[in-house]
Amino acid sequence: MEDFAKLIDHTLLKVDADRKALQKAVEETLKYGFRCLAISPYHIYVLSKEGLLKKDELCVVAPVGFPNGYTVTEAKVAEARRLLELGAREIDMVSNIQALKTGDLQLFESDIAAVVEVAREYGRVVKVILETGLLNDNEKAVATEIVARAGAHFVKTSTGFVTPGATVHDVALLKKASKGRVRVKAAGGIRHALDAIALVEAGADVIGTSSSVQIIEEYKALRKEFIVI
Amino acid sequence: MEDFAKLIDHTLLKVDADRKALQKAVEETLKYGFRCLAISPYHIYVLSKEGLLKKDELCVVAPVGFPNGYTVTEAKVAEARRLLELGAREIDMVSNIQALKTGDLQLFESDIAAVVEVAREYGRVVKVILETGLLNDNEKAVATEIVARAGAHFVKTSTGFVTPGATVHDVALLKKASKGRVRVKAAGGIRHALDAIALVEAGADVIGTSSSVQIIEEYKALRKEFIVI
């Protein structure tokens, strides 16, 4: 059970999530032993101010360029730098999907490379969100190649703000295209243990979801039912 | 007809809008004489690179902190600065809705004031999006008061990414709370001329919509039917 929780980035990125929801998410992350907690920049600021990010007991994931990804690189760099200063452990940046779809691969790559450079200063991890729900298979493969070349650590399927989110097909495609150079994070619409398991089987190294507690509870029930899992 | 078009900020902010959609939006803005064109930071970069923002014939609106608004002030400032450098004429920034809902009014205000300060350097206009669909009436009034105090030029209802978008109720509320110090932009889900007219009647000074052409065509038909409009 703990091993499965260690694959999950618990997530709370709703715009109207309040202080109580943040507190609950922090407690759930520590109680269940989730890999990390992905929260808004504002909530990272709140936890940092309260001294909660110093102890290194809570791995916090910072969204950058979230969720549209089409902002200027200067904004993503400033955002990443500030969030790393505040104590974020990982950056989940949204790539410039519009640049990719326009065929502006140079900007698509330099945008990622600029954020990777800032993260390197802090020795931190960068995941790059492709928003696979808006891409064709060729775009997904090309983008994964560029993510690897730009020095990021993970390619990630989706923001959760566009449907479809993570699919078995896309995770398998990203895994293959990554050729072992970057890990794969599946996120977007993952609500149940069987879906999470299917995505892990397809090659996902990390699962991003706001349904983490439900997934773990379902996972426990499944283990009772089928000893094999 | 031209007068009505002058109330409309034509809008193209979809993540997967391509180069062709951008071209069409630019042509529509010039042909119909819309007030401005609101496009993504990436598309502002594209138009700027092509020299289209130098001539001052096209008023371009830049989204900042879009659409979630919960990022750090440093990112909004860097984004605004870069987009103003590229030739954006107005800034439509998303306020920090999470800070407002948490009661952190100091940060809510300083976040707006910081972007206003950058825009002042360039002599440009700032509109502040509240995302009224997530707020209660008291929060809307308090937020409008703060927007006016922070020196912004407009208070704006919605991003269009959250429902409900602009309502007659909210526009009237914002208009009253503004006490004439800031203008009101209605945006979010406005698809038809009668809706746009109702919002203008309620006090909207500007209408933001991606259905601008349809609205103008409907408006022309209405004028034929009822000379009074």
Side-chain angles (χ1 to χ4, degrees):
Chain A
M1 199 274 283
E2 263 186 30
D3 285 355
F4 202 69
K6 278 276 161 270
L7 296 179
I8 298 177
D9 279 355
H10 191 29
T11 303
L12 179 73
L13 288 168
K14 281 187 302 181
V15 176
D16 55 350
D18 60 12
R19 189 67 192 77
K20 220 166 124 183
L22 173 62
Q23 187 59 36
K24 187 161 165 267
V26 168
E27 285 165 11
E28 287 166 349
T29 303
L30 298 174
K31 175 182 166 193
Y32 286 88
F34 293 123
R35 181 178 177 276
C36 290
L37 173 63
I39 50 178
S40 76
Y42 176 67
H43 280 161
I44 291 175
Y45 159 80
V46 168
L47 293 188
S48 179
K49 215 175 52 172
E50 294 175 2
L52 281 168
L53 302 186
K54 275 183 196 156
K55 295 179 231 160
D56 238 35
E57 85 184 61
L58 187 67
C59 163
V60 158
V61 174
V64 162
F66 201 83
N68 289 354
Y70 53 33
T71 193
V72 288
T73 301
E74 288 83 351
K76 291 183 186 178
V77 165
E79 192 173 29
R81 184 174 295 285
R82 178 63 179 144
L83 294 170
L84 290 164
E85 278 170 9
L86 289 172
R89 205 93 72 81
E90 304 195 349
I91 298 286
D92 280 23
M93 74 174 287
V94 189
S95 66
N96 196 321
I97 301 143
Q98 268 188 350
L100 174 66
K101 291 201 83 80
T102 307
D104 191 351
L105 300 185
Q106 211 174 342
L107 188 141
F108 182 80
E109 180 165 349
S110 64
D111 187 61
I112 298 167
V115 174
V116 166
E117 199 183 316
V118 179
R120 266 201 199 124
E121 287 179 36
Y122 292 79
R124 299 307 195 190
V125 164
V126 175
K127 310 194 199 79
V128 180
I129 302 171
L130 302 188
E131 203 68 285
T132 43
L134 299 176
L135 307 181
N136 63 40
D137 283 358
N138 181 53
E139 288 165 340
K140 293 168 204 167
V142 167
T144 301
E145 181 61 36
I146 294 174
V147 167
R149 201 164 60 207
H153 308 82
F154 277 84
V155 63
K156 177 175 166 185
T157 57
S158 323
T159 60
F161 282 70
V162 168
T163 48
T167 67
V168 165
H169 170 87
D170 286 340
V171 166
L173 192 160
L174 267 47
K175 191 71 182 182
K176 193 178 168 200
S178 74
K179 295 176 193 150
R181 294 165 297 173
V182 290
R183 281 173 283 169
V184 176
K185 175 171 172 179
I190 309 171
R191 305 264 175 279
H192 297 284
L194 286 178
D195 295 317
I197 291 166
L199 293 164
V200 170
E201 289 289 321
D205 300 287
V206 172
I207 296 288
T209 175
S210 47
S211 303
S212 326
V213 171
Q214 164 146 347
I215 286 173
I216 289 297
E217 295 302 337
E218 286 182 8
Y219 184 79
K220 283 198 268 186
L222 282 168
R223 277 186 58 144
K224 271 188 199 157
E225 215 173 323
F226 309 100
I227 299 299
V228 58
I229 296 177
Chain B
M1 198 273 283
E2 265 186 30
D3 286 356
F4 202 69
K6 279 276 160 270
L7 297 179
I8 297 176
D9 280 354
H10 192 27
T11 303
L12 179 72
L13 288 169
K14 279 187 303 182
V15 176
D16 55 349
D18 60 12
R19 190 67 192 76
K20 221 166 125 183
L22 173 62
Q23 187 58 36
K24 187 161 166 267
V26 169
E27 285 165 13
E28 287 166 348
T29 303
L30 298 173
K31 176 181 167 193
Y32 286 88
F34 293 124
R35 181 178 178 278
C36 290
L37 174 62
I39 49 178
S40 75
Y42 176 67
H43 280 161
I44 292 176
Y45 159 80
V46 168
L47 293 186
S48 179
K49 215 175 51 173
E50 292 175 2
L52 281 168
L53 302 186
K54 274 182 194 155
K55 297 180 227 161
D56 238 34
E57 86 184 58
L58 186 67
C59 162
V60 157
V61 175
V64 162
F66 201 83
N68 288 356
Y70 53 34
T71 193
V72 288
T73 301
E74 288 84 351
K76 293 184 184 178
V77 165
E79 191 173 30
R81 185 174 294 285
R82 178 64 180 144
L83 294 169
L84 290 164
E85 277 171 10
L86 289 172
R89 205 92 75 78
E90 303 195 348
I91 297 287
D92 280 23
M93 74 174 286
V94 188
S95 66
N96 196 321
I97 301 143
Q98 267 188 351
L100 174 66
K101 292 200 83 79
T102 307
D104 190 351
L105 301 184
Q106 209 174 344
L107 188 142
F108 183 80
E109 180 165 350
S110 65
D111 186 60
I112 298 167
V115 174
V116 167
E117 197 184 318
V118 179
R120 265 201 197 124
E121 286 179 37
Y122 292 80
R124 299 308 195 191
V125 164
V126 175
K127 311 195 199 79
V128 180
I129 303 171
L130 302 187
E131 204 68 284
T132 43
L134 298 178
L135 307 181
N136 64 39
D137 283 358
N138 181 53
E139 288 166 339
K140 293 168 204 168
V142 167
T144 301
E145 181 62 36
I146 293 174
V147 167
R149 201 163 61 207
H153 307 83
F154 278 84
V155 63
K156 178 176 166 186
T157 56
S158 322
T159 59
F161 283 70
V162 168
T163 49
T167 68
V168 166
H169 170 87
D170 286 338
V171 167
L173 191 161
L174 267 47
K175 191 71 180 182
K176 193 178 168 200
S178 75
K179 296 177 193 150
R181 294 163 299 173
V182 291
R183 281 174 283 168
V184 175
K185 176 171 172 180
I190 308 171
R191 304 264 176 279
H192 296 285
L194 287 178
D195 295 317
I197 291 166
L199 293 165
V200 170
E201 290 287 321
D205 300 285
V206 172
I207 297 287
T209 175
S210 47
S211 304
S212 326
V213 171
Q214 164 146 346
I215 286 173
I216 288 297
E217 295 302 336
E218 286 181 9
Y219 184 79
K220 282 197 270 186
L222 282 168
R223 277 186 57 143
K224 271 187 198 157
E225 217 175 320
F226 309 100
I227 300 297
V228 59
I229 298 177

